[in-house]
Amino acid sequence: QVHLVESGGGSVQAGGSLRLSCVASAYIDINYYMGWFRQAPGKEREGVAVIYIGTGSTYYADSVKGRFTISLGNAKKTTYLQMNSLKSEDTAMYYCAAGRAVPRDWILESRSYNFWGQGTQVTISS
């Protein structure tokens, strides 16, 4: 069982930056994908950014490419999401997730992940 704890959410103005962190309670082996998903009120949960522990390969939703960066901590139990040039449409609850053997076509699909954090709120004011 992997427990994930997010931190770093908050409220900023449009154009600002935030950095989210996610710490895993257990060892995350190289076969894991760790990622960030978000869910706005009345909308489905969507994949934002994912990183594959084994190679460090990263995957991003089109809506955040060039603005968000996902990375791993040295111990590979922590993942970060650096969010720059934030927009009002980035407002959502952000969740950290982890999963193994994720199909390539489903990397940004929430159904591929079986471990989830409780979420951290990000609010962007215009």
Side-chain angles (χ1 to χ4, degrees):
Q1 186 75 9
V2 177
H3 294 283
L4 303 171
V5 179
E6 305 99 332
S7 62
S11 298
V12 297
Q13 290 189 330
S17 299
L18 282 173
R19 189 191 196 205
L20 305 183
S21 299
C22 172
V23 180
S25 63
Y27 175 69
I28 301 289
D29 67 42
I30 63 170
N31 295 307
Y32 270 87
Y33 291 76
M34 289 187 73
W36 291 91
F37 293 75
R38 66 186 181 187
Q39 188 166 18
K43 295 188 177 181
E44 292 188 356
R45 190 170 297 190
E46 63 172 348
V48 174
V50 170
I51 188 164
Y52 178 47
I53 307 300
T55 61
S57 297
T58 57
Y59 309 85
Y60 295 94
D62 288 342
S63 59
V64 306
K65 283 181 181 176
R67 300 189 299 122
F68 291 11
T69 302
I70 188 170
S71 61
L72 286 172
N74 289 336
K76 294 186 171 52
K77 290 179 58 176
T78 303
T79 183
Y80 303 100
L81 185 67
Q82 178 66 43
M83 305 186 294
N84 298 328
S85 302
L86 284 161
K87 305 175 182 180
S88 57
E89 51 262 45
D90 295 318
T91 295
M93 184 72 79
Y94 282 69
Y95 298 91
C96 179
R100 301 179 84 247
V102 173
R104 177 172 291 274
D105 290 343
W106 292 2
I107 286 175
L108 290 173
E109 298 283 336
S110 59
R111 57 184 163 174
S112 300
Y113 298 82
N114 51 344
F115 299 113
W116 292 87
Q118 293 192 331
T120 184
Q121 179 68 37
V122 171
T123 303
I124 311 303
S125 57
S126 56

